[in-house]
Amino acid sequence: MKKKLLSLALALSLVLTLCPWAMAADTRETDFFEDQPHTELSYDQIEYKHMETQPILDAMEEVRGLMADKANEEAAAKKFEAVTDQVMELMTMYTLADIRSYQDATNESYVAESEYMNTAWNDVVDAFSLLIRDLLASPCAGFITALLSEEDIAYYKDYEAMTEEQRSLSEQEQNLQLAYYAASLTPCTVEYEGQAVTEDDVYAAVAAGTLDAEVGDGLLTELAKAQNAALGEIYLKMVDVRGKTAKAYGYDNYGDYAYAEIYDRDYTQEEIRAFHQAVKENIVPLYSLLSTLVSYQYDDPALLREDYSLVSEDMIAPYIAQMSSELKEALDYMTSHKMYDVTYSETKQDAGFTTMLYSFGAPFMFNQPYGDLYDFCTMVHELGHYNNYYWDDASWNASSDNIDTAEVHSQGLELLFSHYYPEIFGQSANAVSDYLMTNLTGAIVQGCLFDELQQYVYATKNVTLAQINAEYRKLAGEYGLVDPADERTEMYGWVTIPHTFTSPMYYISYAVSAAGAFDFWLSAQEGKFEDTVDKYLSFVALPAEMGFQESFEALKMSNPLSAEYIQSLAAALNGKLEPEKRLYAEALSAQFTDLEGIHWYDEAVLTMVMAGLISGYDDGSFKADVSVTWGQALKLVLLMAGVEEQAPVEDGHWASGYLAQAQGLGLVDKDAQIDLNAAIDRAALCGLLAKALGIPASENESPFADTDDGAVLALAELGVITGYTAEDGTQVFNGEGLLKRSELCAVLYRVMLLSSAEEQPAA
């Protein structure tokens, strides 16, 4: 359905006139960024050009021929400027080649050109860096020194040419990534009844009822193993190449190399492990609650809508304008110049990213849509990146943002944009918000999980696929992604994460940045929304050379990496989102037509239902105020006390077996004439429950004005029962009042909590 729908050219004009998000809005003027040049060409007017490297290398040699004489400095500077234009054009064409290979990984010419451009770029950027190094040591150093920061000068002065080994390893890495792209688009198959079946075949057959669900699950597991084996073989080769790459650059561990050299992080693998642990302790429980909450809302139409890839920019535009004229300008440029590709294609890579066409000053957004709400969230996420690129200096000597900081740009915008969900999504706003919060707490959890997994991989000598699968299963358990009772010793789905193959050690960026981005959201809940938007824009506008932690410090914000911050973040999010309380409401409303999660007894009712001790009526209602019969009370109290289910005595009432058992245990007098269909009162329930649990009667002074019953007092002292405040202000128990179903659930729930507390080891 998704592929068919997303390939249609929808008649949007009518739709737009009917949707609240299409209404015009005022633009809020902001001024945080400096204007940058951008091409007037649209993306389809930009032509890809195959570039030979020799003319560029020759031009560099001309600069070398001039730089030996101070008198030639002006000429050398002019020639060098022409070289930088050529280098940036090559980089732009390299980016275009990559975009094309992402758009159609099955096109052999695109793949070959991307492979060629990788080699060409390595050759040119190496020679260019060496040229700058030598210029800095030449009589013409004045002009180049003026173009570079102190940090850049230090970098280029220490630059060493790529060795043949480093160059060869880079090419091997590129070839393996291209092999991965092709393999990831090839559907895995397993044989079933003489036919090769794919994952889509299995899902379709189960949905159609032609394949048993249990058999289908077995086939899906076999397909996961097949995919794991196919992609895992490529990955192990990558791991080997990356290990050699790290050593070629003076590192013992590829993870250390990637953290320092690829991502320029201001923390190490060892330092981030305390963050991992804090996430396990604080964010994992929150993520679990939010995930369960969203599971009750999966049928919400806003979550299921399939055409977001076609309409998201129109949905977003009016509200982006309300946030910032500068955000609006970036979005307008993207749409008017067609600098994006977010439509579905069977040949596209499963990825979403924003990149830069430097020679044109034009960011480009790419996404392969899923056909659900995730596409809307991705559009906002990538717009955060797009806006940053749009306002960034695209010169050859400009600094680029730390990757962790850049992810705050995207996730921060996602979170702040949720401010407009009520206007955009109406009654579905809460479901969409829960979905977003689940995604971003999930980004923290999975970012840590996959960082731990990759740390393990690159630290384990001669690691095998079986070891990786086993470690993934272990970590999935630690991060709460599988049931504790799950008996699997291996899991295979880690191969579905493209970053593991294409951007190793990247995933922790999603975790630390989401942790930091939540600080903006919390700030928006406490103060004026526009003030927080300005704070976010100030963050985006910070100098690109600032480190991740330094950026938060600059705005006097908490350090997202500290365990204390993660603990306080979890507490704040639990307080604002109330996932546990709302989960009860969702679960109850899903179970019963007359419960909405707004009553004092909701948690108790749901617990009793989940424990299988009580159920509703055939019409779907719970009827909380209906009186409890003696038969019902006897059954539930005895089951709570550990007695097995009792069959009725011959030709007796359905609860007669429980009455006989209670009489045998001395809980009820043998001569008592009890009508099992009659309602039980509150005092009688207390007497029955105290005896069943072996709780001795209390002789203490009664807190109730209307009873001094020892069983009632004993249960009150334990917190199992409570009374009422009478009109005259006294506390009464109302023992003769008939017991309600809600009250019975509350009493039994408190007994369960009491028993659980007694079983806990002493502190």
Side-chain angles (χ1 to χ4, degrees):
M1 180 66 178
K2 175 183 72 173
K3 297 176 183 177
K4 180 180 178 182
L5 180 60
L6 296 184
S7 65
L8 295 177
L10 299 182
L12 294 179
S13 56
L14 177 61
V15 177
L16 294 179
T17 62
L18 299 176
C19 296
W21 43 259
M23 295 187 296
D26 293 334
T27 298
R28 177 174 175 262
E29 294 297 327
T30 60
D31 186 17
F32 288 89
F33 307 104
E34 294 184 8
D35 289 340
Q36 302 294 336
H38 307 287
T39 183
E40 287 303 315
L41 297 174
S42 62
Y43 181 74
D44 54 12
Q45 293 173 319
I46 295 177
E47 295 184 6
Y48 175 75
K49 180 172 71 173
H50 176 89
M51 294 184 66
E52 299 293 340
T53 60
Q54 196 57 50
I56 305 175
L57 298 175
D58 290 344
M60 291 184 194
E61 287 305 308
E62 291 180 27
V63 176
R64 288 184 180 279
L66 294 168
M67 70 185 185
D69 188 343
K70 175 68 174 175
N72 296 330
E73 184 169 352
E74 184 177 347
K78 188 173 182 179
K79 177 62 70 173
F80 180 82
E81 183 180 359
V83 168
T84 62
D85 289 342
Q86 291 177 292
V87 171
M88 296 307 287
E89 184 181 16
L90 179 68
M91 186 178 185
T92 301
M93 292 304 131
Y94 182 15
T95 303
L96 281 170
D98 261 0
I99 292 172
R100 284 163 51 142
S101 66
Y102 267 94
Q103 289 174 322
D104 188 356
T106 65
N107 188 308
E108 293 182 1
S109 64
Y110 288 176
V111 171
E113 189 65 11
S114 180
E115 183 179 351
Y116 163 78
M117 290 300 291
N118 177 71
T119 301
W121 176 249
N122 280 334
D123 290 344
V124 168
V125 77
D126 185 47
F128 185 63
S129 299
L130 289 171
L131 175 62
I132 296 173
R133 182 194 70 181
D134 295 343
L135 272 168
L136 288 168
S138 76
C140 296
F143 86 86
I144 192 67
T145 301
L147 296 174
L148 299 173
S149 67
E150 290 184 9
E151 185 180 3
D152 290 338
I153 291 172
Y155 169 80
Y156 284 116
K157 280 186 173 180
D158 292 337
Y159 185 82
E160 295 181 5
M162 287 181 71
T163 65
E164 286 304 315
E165 179 188 18
Q166 290 168 342
R167 195 181 303 276
S168 173
L169 289 167
S170 176
E171 292 175 4
Q172 290 178 53
E173 171 84 12
Q174 173 73 1
N175 291 338
L176 286 168
Q177 289 200 16
L178 293 173
Y180 160 73
Y181 294 150
S184 66
L185 288 176
T186 304
C188 286
T189 63
V190 294
E191 187 171 317
Y192 177 67
E193 294 186 344
Q195 298 288 326
V197 295
T198 66
E199 184 179 62
D200 287 346
D201 295 333
V202 174
Y203 280 123
V206 171
T210 58
L211 182 66
D212 180 75
E214 187 173 346
V215 174
D217 285 341
L219 289 173
L220 290 173
T221 299
E222 291 305 310
L223 283 163
K225 288 182 180 179
Q227 184 184 42
N228 180 268
L231 298 181
E233 181 181 357
I234 297 173
Y235 183 63
L236 291 178
K237 292 176 181 177
M238 287 178 165
V239 171
D240 180 61
V241 168
R242 289 166 182 167
K244 293 174 181 176
T245 298
K247 286 183 169 54
Y249 284 94
Y251 289 84
D252 293 329
N253 179 286
Y254 181 81
D256 291 335
Y257 164 76
Y259 262 52
E261 302 296 335
I262 299 178
Y263 303 119
D264 191 29
R265 293 189 170 121
D266 55 4
Y267 54 90
T268 65
Q269 289 191 103
E270 183 176 356
E271 289 169 343
I272 202 62
R273 288 169 195 157
F275 181 82
H276 294 162
Q277 188 59 36
V279 167
K280 289 178 186 177
E281 294 172 0
N282 298 283
I283 303 299
V284 165
L286 172 62
Y287 173 60
S288 178
L289 287 171
L290 288 170
S291 299
T292 307
L293 186 61
V294 168
S295 72
Y296 282 101
Q297 305 173 63
Y298 273 142
D299 60 349
D300 190 286
L303 273 62
L304 298 174
R305 184 173 176 174
E306 294 182 316
D307 64 342
Y308 283 117
S309 65
L310 298 172
V311 300
S312 286
E313 60 266 34
D314 296 303
M315 296 174 68
I316 292 166
Y319 302 99
I320 284 294
Q322 292 180 41
M323 292 180 75
S324 161
S325 58
E326 291 166 304
L327 280 167
K328 178 181 184 296
E329 181 178 330
L331 177 60
D332 287 348
Y333 179 84
M334 183 187 83
T335 54
S336 63
H337 291 74
K338 302 176 184 176
M339 292 292 175
Y340 65 118
D341 176 2
V342 296
T343 56
Y344 181 83
S345 168
E346 292 186 354
T347 64
K348 286 173 74 172
Q349 283 293 314
D350 185 11
F353 61 84
T354 300
T355 188
M356 187 70 173
L357 304 176
Y358 284 94
S359 294
F360 299 96
F364 184 86
M365 182 191 295
F366 175 94
N367 186 50
Q368 170 73 314
Y370 284 87
D372 59 21
L373 181 61
Y374 190 71
D375 299 331
F376 175 86
C377 294
T378 297
M379 175 63 77
V380 181
H381 178 103
E382 293 301 333
L383 180 58
H385 290 309
Y386 198 98
N387 176 70
N388 178 58
Y389 272 124
Y390 182 82
W391 297 106
D392 258 1
D393 183 357
S395 305
W396 71 271
N397 55 341
S399 298
S400 59
D401 288 288
N402 174 281
I403 196 68
D404 300 340
T405 306
E407 288 299 344
V408 179
H409 302 159
S410 54
Q411 293 164 324
L413 186 61
E414 281 188 88
L415 284 163
L416 290 178
F417 195 77
S418 66
H419 176 79
Y420 300 106
Y421 282 2
E423 294 181 55
I424 298 173
F425 296 104
Q427 293 181 345
S428 296
N430 283 338
V432 177
S433 179
D434 290 338
Y435 179 88
L436 174 66
M437 295 301 170
T438 302
N439 280 352
L440 290 178
T441 54
I444 300 176
V445 170
Q446 296 192 43
C448 289
L449 186 158
F450 286 107
D451 188 65
E452 276 208 66
L453 180 64
Q454 291 181 82
Q455 285 200 29
Y456 167 83
V457 167
Y458 292 114
T460 303
K461 187 176 181 180
N462 299 320
V463 70
T464 66
L465 199 55
Q467 287 177 310
I468 300 174
N469 294 336
E471 183 68 11
Y472 180 51
R473 166 61 185 88
K474 179 178 81 70
L475 290 171
E478 292 177 10
Y479 282 96
L481 301 184
V482 293
D483 191 285
D486 193 313
E487 296 181 351
R488 287 178 292 176
T489 58
E490 291 187 355
M491 287 174 59
Y492 313 103
W494 60 268
V495 298
T496 63
I497 306 298
H499 285 70
T500 304
F501 296 84
T502 62
S503 307
M505 306 306 299
Y506 186 110
Y507 239 58
I508 191 62
S509 292
Y510 291 126
V512 298
S513 58
F518 268 117
D519 205 350
F520 290 106
W521 184 83
L522 289 170
S523 177
Q525 312 313 303
E526 301 294 338
K528 188 177 178 182
F529 177 69
E530 288 78 8
D531 291 343
T532 304
V533 171
D534 289 348
K535 188 177 183 180
Y536 162 78
L537 294 172
S538 296
F539 186 93
V540 178
L542 287 172
E545 57 268 18
M546 269 194 178
F548 175 70
Q549 297 175 80
E550 184 184 7
S551 297
F552 284 93
E553 184 179 353
L555 294 184
K556 296 181 171 54
M557 298 173 70
S558 300
N559 185 343
L561 301 189
S562 73
E564 294 77 14
Y565 171 75
I566 294 301
Q567 185 177 12
S568 65
L569 173 64
L573 289 175
N574 272 301
K576 293 293 183 184
L577 302 175
E578 298 184 312
E580 190 167 11
K581 177 181 177 181
R582 294 173 56 232
L583 180 56
Y584 284 120
E586 289 290 343
L588 281 168
S589 62
Q591 288 271 352
F592 305 111
T593 57
D594 57 345
L595 293 182
E596 300 176 356
I598 59 175
H599 305 99
W600 63 270
Y601 48 77
D602 288 332
E603 187 172 348
V605 171
L606 183 60
T607 302
M608 292 300 104
V609 171
M610 299 302 287
L613 293 175
I614 200 166
S615 60
Y617 290 82
D618 290 341
D619 64 358
S621 64
F622 180 73
K623 302 188 189 325
D625 291 333
V626 168
S627 299
V628 178
T629 66
W630 264 95
Q632 293 167 339
L634 281 168
K635 175 182 176 179
L636 292 179
V637 168
L638 287 173
L639 291 177
M640 179 66 71
V643 174
E644 295 181 355
E645 292 199 21
Q646 301 293 310
V649 299
E650 187 175 356
D651 296 328
H653 186 278
W654 69 264
S656 56
Y658 292 101
L659 176 59
Q661 185 72 10
Q663 291 172 328
L665 293 172
L667 308 182
V668 176
D669 189 81
K670 291 184 179 180
D671 298 326
Q673 297 297 313
I674 293 178
D675 181 356
L676 293 173
N677 289 324
I680 188 171
D681 62 40
R682 287 164 54 85
L685 184 277
C686 288
L688 178 64
L689 186 62
K691 288 180 181 179
L693 299 179
I695 299 173
S698 173
E699 297 180 357
N700 295 326
E701 183 179 351
S702 175
F704 304 115
D706 61 345
T707 185
D708 58 1
D709 184 287
V712 171
L713 302 188
L715 292 175
E717 289 166 7
L718 291 172
V720 171
I721 61 100
T722 59
Y724 304 91
T725 301
E727 290 184 4
D728 61 3
T730 59
Q731 289 295 306
V732 297
F733 178 65
N734 188 25
E736 295 180 354
L738 299 182
L739 183 73
K740 299 176 182 178
R741 283 165 57 84
S742 57
E743 293 172 332
L744 178 60
C745 287
V747 167
L748 297 181
Y749 177 56
R750 292 168 191 153
V751 169
M752 288 178 66
L753 293 179
L754 190 64
S755 300
S756 176
E758 290 174 349
E759 291 172 3
Q760 295 298 318

